Amino acid sequence: GRQPCVEFRRRGKEMVDLIADYLENIEQRPVYPDVEPGYLRSLIPEEAPEEPETYEDVVKDIERVIMPGVTHWHSPYFYAYFPTANSFPAMLADMLSGAIGCIGFSWAASPACTELETVMMDWLGKMLKLPEDFIAGTHGQGGGVIQGTASEATLVALLAARSRAVRMILASDPQRPETDITSKLVAYSSDQAHCSVERAGMIAGVRMKKIPTEQSDKYAVQGETLRRMIQEDKAAGLIPFYFCATLGTTPSCAFDHITELGPICNAEKIWMHIDAAYAGSSFICPEFRPLLNGIEFADSFNFNPHKWLLHWQIPLGRRFRSLKMWFVFRMYGLKGLQDYIRKHVELAKEFESLVRADQRFEISADVVLGLVCFRLKGSNEVNETLLKRINNGRKIHLVPCQLSGQFVLRFAVCARTTESRHIREAWRLITQLAEEVMQELPN
Amino acid sequence: GRQPCVEFRRRGKEMVDLIADYLENIEQRPVYPDVEPGYLRSLIPEEAPEEPETYEDVVKDIERVIMPGVTHWHSPYFYAYFPTANSFPAMLADMLSGAIGCIGFSWAASPACTELETVMMDWLGKMLKLPEDFIAGTHGQGGGVIQGTASEATLVALLAARSRAVRMILASDPQRPETDITSKLVAYSSDQAHCSVERAGMIAGVRMKKIPTEQSDKYAVQGETLRRMIQEDKAAGLIPFYFCATLGTTPSCAFDHITELGPICNAEKIWMHIDAAYAGSSFICPEFRPLLNGIEFADSFNFNPHKWLLHWQIPLGRRFRSLKMWFVFRMYGLKGLQDYIRKHVELAKEFESLVRADQRFEISADVVLGLVCFRLKGSNEVNETLLKRINNGRKIHLVPCQLSGQFVLRFAVCARTTESRHIREAWRLITQLAEEVMQELPN
């Protein structure tokens, strides 16, 4: 009755070696691919094969077809966007998750899948020292759930807030049509918030207003501004119901003052959601945990790569994703994870001090965690040219952002294997290209 | 500059063996776990460890903590819900996808990720012989995207339909407030449609009406019923804008008559979405492809495990999921995939004929693909008791459905390794338990 897996044993082990080879030599690859849109279509057939191909043929095509078009997120020369999770324990757990291959849409569909996720979310909540009502425990009302992405977490929080607002209003005015209520709802977020927050408003069909921020306030939403907008909107007959605060914005890693904003939301019965997609993980370090002060005023909270929220989600089919967290938490331990985050923050500080020591450059926003926003003193054009040269070199990869109308370069420490020598080499390259760009400037 | 991966090479290969052992011996495990809700929490610590644990400790806990709570979806004795993908090529590709670990939220974020997905969606579309306007090609307007789940695909289609409806009405009546339009929108689906369709309506904040179906019509939505509901709603000032047809419903694998329903939707400018979550894959076999006739009237179409739709999605971060399809399509070939589906359908027919040969049982819905709906002739109670006995035995696993008020057992051929002998053994067990249950009945 056994189904022998001889071929999988062989190919699986070959794949382990292929992966190890890839990761060991990732620095030798250009971090950013040199291909034009549409490159891949001409490299493979227009239709699936009728007959099976050999595994050897498929493997050969990894280098021929796939690798030329890969942006290598785990190269120590990758400083774009934000980091994404990848570790050996995570990969091992993912293999197991694929083999078990259960779909966790209900407890009975695979009890271990639901239960491990509940407990891992509690482990995570305790690592972050979240208030007790965010923890599921044995009889708790709180608890977290792994969402596919931060976008989904933000949307789910907005939908929960919408549902609560409608319920509250119907309780005091049962005859009011639900469509009339939703047409008056208004949600708020910072003008620095991620585009997925605005998109969540569009999906849920509610009005979403952006709260302006200023460089002088470090791009944080001010209580006074929020309060004024709420009063104006209420006076105009609207119903404020949701505020999405950001801890660690995408452009500059700015932090909204939730200790000030939370009480305003609570008093106005506005659902406060906290999106800490990037910064959230850092709160497991005691020295960064104060950035989360004010969480006690929040109704919901999410962060990447493991998102935190009440038990609800849009997808029904879901993988056994908590296995990854279990493997990672145990094989690193809390201390190992703290060390890992601290090392990234230190590397960012090292890069910051290199920038500050060079009079031609300026730092564009406070460096709190692993993101450094910087630019050449000068026009947007010269900075755009510099970034283009950097990325065309394909040795390191950065993406830009806009801050107060300025074109700014974002240097995010991303890869697990980034060391001081990579930071220094990146800086050497940046200054060398900056010199070239400036020499070409008309006098 | 190399980061040696010695430990991963060793542990990765051990994990390959662990997975092969698991799958080779999966038949020996009880298919459905014997645990109570909350079982897992007491088996592991309440908090993450401070210091790293050894990999040996983690691996030991797979059997101690995880396996007792797993529903084994890939056991050949698993006949519950619907099948889910798991194959060696898919697992190999998933390992590679994890190692590359890119986030494909834009073309530049990893061109190969976006491009392979586009081409694989075309391969799939051609395998299904979808109309030309569903194909991206080099200059096409169509194309597919891999959604996380069918729930998301249905939601995205509904949002697209909502957006199109609002745009069309604003074009002829620019002064009309958008909230007034959305408050009048009405969407339709079968009363046999998946709960995620209704939920999509709730998320998008639009009215969703269920169209009643009848056993005598094989649980298919009738054109006359849809037409009547549209006319009544229009007369009441509502705006019909979306109809979600189902090909292969979850309870009984029923097929809405899209050749009849499509022209009605087209004439009324109603977006017709087709949810073929389960049945969709079967359309790669010419003998099942006629079930998809009428697709030419549809605006969008999705199916599992690989979902089909226009280029848009809710999550921003996404894995390199098309690698899985690439590996699977090539290592099976179209013929291999067709053979695989045909074998499952044959096994279902074999089970059906076993049921039909036994006068105590009846078949509750046409067996078209791999799902057999059946029951003991008799009360709902006796069938509920039978199912309970079946699942308590933990040798095979089935879930029920309701059809026309009757409690019905669903027998879905799921595992890749299911053979005729498993079907016959399952039937032997079912009849044996049925005998027990009937003997206990009061005379």
Side-chain angles (χ1 to χ4, degrees):
Chain A
R2 283 163 58 109
Q3 305 277 346
C5 305
V6 183
E7 181 76 1
F8 175 71
R9 285 184 200 271
R10 178 176 162 204
R11 300 312 187 182
K13 289 167 191 178
E14 288 175 10
M15 182 56 83
V16 168
D17 278 326
L18 187 151
I19 288 170
D21 291 345
Y22 167 67
L23 292 172
E24 281 178 356
N25 298 295
I26 197 165
E27 288 187 34
Q28 272 72 61
R29 296 179 185 267
V31 62
Y32 186 70
D34 188 11
V35 294
E36 293 298 315
Y39 90 96
L40 185 141
R41 190 174 286 272
S42 61
L43 297 179
I44 64 173
E46 288 190 8
E47 296 193 32
E50 276 283 325
E51 303 286 343
E53 294 184 66
T54 65
Y55 183 65
E56 282 81 2
D57 285 340
V58 176
V59 163
K60 256 185 254 156
D61 280 352
I62 296 172
E63 278 305 326
R64 189 181 67 89
V65 177
I66 302 300
M67 286 303 171
V70 170
T71 303
H72 299 285
W73 282 62
H74 302 288
S75 161
Y77 294 116
F78 180 91
Y79 301 104
Y81 315 108
F82 274 134
T84 181
N86 174 298
S87 68
F88 295 133
M91 284 193 272
L92 294 169
D94 221 18
M95 289 165 68
L96 181 61
S97 163
I100 294 176
C102 60
I103 308 288
F105 53 75
S106 66
W107 181 85
S110 213
C113 180
T114 300
E115 298 209 6
L116 188 65
E117 185 162 326
T118 311
V119 180
M120 285 306 103
M121 292 287 106
D122 275 2
W123 278 21
L124 198 52
K126 290 171 186 172
M127 284 158 76
L128 297 172
K129 305 215 182 306
L130 288 185
E132 189 57 33
D133 51 350
F134 279 89
I135 306 296
T138 314
H139 301 290
Q141 297 291 308
V145 70
I146 304 177
Q147 301 284 342
T149 60
S151 308
E152 287 157 87
T154 316
L155 172 60
V156 168
L158 181 74
L159 294 172
R162 188 185 69 181
S163 163
R164 189 181 75 169
V166 169
R167 248 195 347 262
M168 281 196 313
I169 291 166
L170 284 179
S172 62
D173 185 2
Q175 302 306 319
R176 191 163 175 184
E178 200 170 315
T179 52
D180 176 62
I181 300 171
T182 49
S183 71
K184 299 281 187 296
L185 292 177
V186 54
Y188 307 95
S189 73
S190 163
D191 63 2
Q192 301 290 307
H194 193 264
C195 62
S196 59
V197 175
E198 187 178 358
R199 210 160 53 134
M202 290 167 61
I203 291 171
V206 296
R207 203 179 270 101
M208 171 80 72
K209 293 196 175 178
K210 288 187 186 176
I211 306 175
T213 59
E214 310 262 345
Q215 185 162 23
S216 55
D217 299 323
K218 298 184 179 177
Y219 300 109
V221 168
Q222 302 297 299
E224 201 33 64
T225 321
L226 176 64
R227 204 190 312 266
R228 186 167 34 75
M229 288 179 74
I230 292 172
Q231 295 317 329
E232 286 173 10
D233 284 337
K234 282 169 74 175
L238 297 178
I239 309 168
F241 80 108
Y242 178 79
F243 167 59
C244 179
T246 309
L247 296 182
T249 61
T250 307
S252 68
C253 201
F255 290 79
D256 290 337
H257 296 301
I258 52 173
T259 45
E260 185 187 335
L261 299 160
I264 299 174
C265 291
N266 289 182
E268 297 283 352
K269 294 199 177 66
I270 290 172
W271 182 297
M272 182 164 85
H273 176 70
I274 295 175
D275 178 12
Y278 165 63
S281 307
S282 74
F283 306 149
I284 68 168
C285 304
E287 67 272 32
F288 301 124
R289 177 56 179 74
L291 293 167
L292 187 58
N293 288 350
I295 177 72
E296 58 275 18
F297 303 114
D299 295 278
S300 52
F301 167 65
N302 80 272
F303 77 98
N304 287 355
H306 307 305
K307 291 99 184 167
W308 186 266
L309 207 76
L310 299 171
H311 282 281
W312 200 59
Q313 59 163 15
I314 293 166
L316 200 62
R318 44 204 337 255
R319 288 167 54 113
F320 198 159
R321 290 178 289 196
S322 57
L323 269 182
K324 266 183 154 164
M325 301 176 71
W326 195 45
F327 273 51
V328 172
F329 290 169
R330 296 182 64 185
M331 289 174 68
Y332 277 86
L334 179 57
K335 282 194 182 161
L337 294 169
Q338 289 171 338
D339 289 348
Y340 178 65
I341 289 165
R342 284 171 184 146
K343 186 179 146 197
H344 270 199
V345 178
E346 268 164 40
L347 290 169
K349 299 274 185 196
E350 179 179 348
F351 186 82
E352 181 192 10
S353 56
L354 291 169
V355 176
R356 288 202 187 273
D358 189 323
Q359 292 303 315
R360 299 167 300 177
F361 286 88
E362 62 190 359
I363 293 289
S364 307
D366 277 13
V367 178
V368 184
L369 297 172
L371 176 68
V372 184
C373 290
F374 72 107
R375 66 195 304 277
L376 274 170
K377 291 171 185 165
S379 68
N380 283 347
E381 289 65 34
V382 71
N383 280 287
E384 282 176 44
T385 309
L386 173 60
L387 183 69
K388 198 175 264 179
R389 292 282 169 88
I390 291 171
N391 284 333
N392 282 349
R394 295 173 207 286
K395 178 72 185 173
I396 61 171
H397 188 39
L398 274 67
V399 290
C401 69
Q402 290 279 345
L403 287 177
S404 305
Q406 287 196 320
F407 185 92
V408 170
L409 282 68
R410 286 172 81 267
F411 185 93
V413 179
C414 287
R416 189 174 47 82
T417 53
T418 308
E419 301 284 347
S420 175
R421 66 181 175 88
H422 299 112
I423 299 291
R424 282 177 278 122
E425 193 169 335
W427 179 244
R428 199 186 48 73
L429 202 75
I430 291 168
T431 48
Q432 182 188 314
L433 293 170
E435 215 141 302
E436 281 179 34
V437 168
M438 288 190 303
Q439 274 170 7
E440 292 162 20
L441 283 180
N443 285 321
Chain B
R2 285 162 56 108
Q3 303 278 347
C5 305
V6 182
E7 179 77 1
F8 174 71
R9 285 185 200 270
R10 178 177 162 204
R11 299 313 187 182
K13 289 166 190 176
E14 288 175 8
M15 182 57 83
V16 168
D17 279 326
L18 186 150
I19 288 170
D21 292 344
Y22 168 67
L23 292 172
E24 282 178 355
N25 298 294
I26 198 166
E27 289 187 33
Q28 271 70 61
R29 294 180 186 265
V31 62
Y32 185 70
D34 187 12
V35 294
E36 293 298 315
Y39 91 94
L40 186 140
R41 189 175 286 272
S42 60
L43 297 178
I44 64 174
E46 288 191 7
E47 296 193 32
E50 276 285 323
E51 304 286 344
E53 295 184 65
T54 66
Y55 183 64
E56 283 80 1
D57 284 340
V58 176
V59 163
K60 255 184 256 158
D61 280 352
I62 296 172
E63 280 303 328
R64 188 181 68 89
V65 177
I66 302 301
M67 287 303 171
V70 170
T71 302
H72 299 285
W73 282 62
H74 302 288
S75 162
Y77 294 115
F78 180 91
Y79 301 105
Y81 316 108
F82 274 133
T84 181
N86 173 298
S87 68
F88 294 132
M91 283 193 271
L92 294 168
D94 220 19
M95 288 164 68
L96 181 61
S97 164
I100 293 176
C102 59
I103 308 287
F105 53 75
S106 68
W107 182 85
S110 212
C113 179
T114 299
E115 297 209 7
L116 187 64
E117 185 162 327
T118 310
V119 181
M120 285 305 103
M121 292 287 105
D122 276 4
W123 279 21
L124 198 54
K126 290 170 185 172
M127 283 158 75
L128 296 174
K129 306 215 181 308
L130 287 187
E132 189 58 33
D133 51 351
F134 279 89
I135 306 294
T138 314
H139 301 291
Q141 296 292 307
V145 69
I146 305 177
Q147 301 285 343
T149 60
S151 309
E152 286 157 87
T154 315
L155 172 59
V156 168
L158 180 75
L159 294 172
R162 188 186 69 182
S163 164
R164 188 181 77 171
V166 169
R167 252 195 345 264
M168 283 196 313
I169 291 167
L170 284 179
S172 62
D173 184 2
Q175 302 308 317
R176 190 164 175 185
E178 200 171 314
T179 52
D180 176 60
I181 301 171
T182 48
S183 71
K184 299 280 187 295
L185 293 176
V186 54
Y188 307 96
S189 74
S190 162
D191 62 2
Q192 301 291 307
H194 194 264
C195 63
S196 59
V197 176
E198 188 179 356
R199 210 160 52 136
M202 289 167 61
I203 292 171
V206 296
R207 204 178 270 102
M208 172 79 73
K209 292 196 175 179
K210 288 188 184 174
I211 307 175
T213 60
E214 309 261 346
Q215 183 162 24
S216 55
D217 299 323
K218 296 183 180 178
Y219 300 107
V221 168
Q222 303 298 299
E224 201 32 64
T225 321
L226 176 63
R227 205 190 312 266
R228 187 167 33 78
M229 286 178 77
I230 292 172
Q231 295 318 327
E232 285 173 7
D233 285 336
K234 283 168 76 175
L238 297 179
I239 309 168
F241 80 107
Y242 178 77
F243 167 59
C244 179
T246 309
L247 296 181
T249 60
T250 307
S252 68
C253 200
F255 291 79
D256 290 337
H257 296 302
I258 54 174
T259 47
E260 186 188 334
L261 299 161
I264 300 173
C265 291
N266 289 182
E268 297 282 351
K269 295 198 177 65
I270 290 171
W271 183 296
M272 182 164 83
H273 176 71
I274 295 176
D275 177 12
Y278 164 64
S281 306
S282 74
F283 306 149
I284 68 169
C285 302
E287 67 272 33
F288 301 124
R289 177 57 178 74
L291 293 168
L292 188 59
N293 287 350
I295 176 74
E296 59 276 17
F297 302 115
D299 295 278
S300 53
F301 168 65
N302 80 274
F303 77 99
N304 286 357
H306 307 304
K307 290 99 187 169
W308 186 267
L309 206 77
L310 300 169
H311 283 280
W312 199 59
Q313 60 162 16
I314 293 166
L316 200 63
R318 42 203 338 255
R319 289 168 53 114
F320 198 159
R321 289 177 290 196
S322 57
L323 270 182
K324 267 183 154 167
M325 301 177 71
W326 195 45
F327 273 51
V328 172
F329 289 169
R330 295 181 66 186
M331 289 174 67
Y332 278 86
L334 179 56
K335 283 194 183 162
L337 293 169
Q338 289 170 338
D339 289 347
Y340 177 66
I341 289 165
R342 285 171 183 146
K343 186 178 145 197
H344 270 200
V345 177
E346 268 165 41
L347 289 170
K349 299 274 187 198
E350 180 180 348
F351 186 82
E352 180 193 9
S353 56
L354 291 170
V355 176
R356 287 201 188 276
D358 190 323
Q359 292 304 313
R360 296 166 300 178
F361 286 88
E362 62 190 359
I363 293 288
S364 309
D366 277 13
V367 178
V368 184
L369 298 172
L371 177 67
V372 184
C373 290
F374 73 106
R375 65 195 304 278
L376 274 171
K377 292 172 185 163
S379 67
N380 283 350
E381 289 65 35
V382 71
N383 279 287
E384 281 175 45
T385 308
L386 173 59
L387 182 69
K388 196 174 268 180
R389 292 280 170 89
I390 291 170
N391 284 333
N392 282 348
R394 295 172 208 287
K395 177 72 186 174
I396 62 172
H397 187 38
L398 274 70
V399 290
C401 71
Q402 289 280 344
L403 288 176
S404 305
Q406 287 196 320
F407 185 91
V408 170
L409 281 70
R410 286 172 80 266
F411 185 94
V413 180
C414 288
R416 188 175 48 82
T417 53
T418 308
E419 301 284 347
S420 176
R421 67 180 173 88
H422 299 113
I423 300 290
R424 282 178 278 122
E425 193 169 336
W427 178 244
R428 198 185 50 72
L429 202 72
I430 291 168
T431 47
Q432 183 188 315
L433 293 171
E435 213 141 306
E436 279 179 34
V437 168
M438 288 190 301
Q439 273 170 6
E440 291 163 21
L441 284 180
N443 283 321

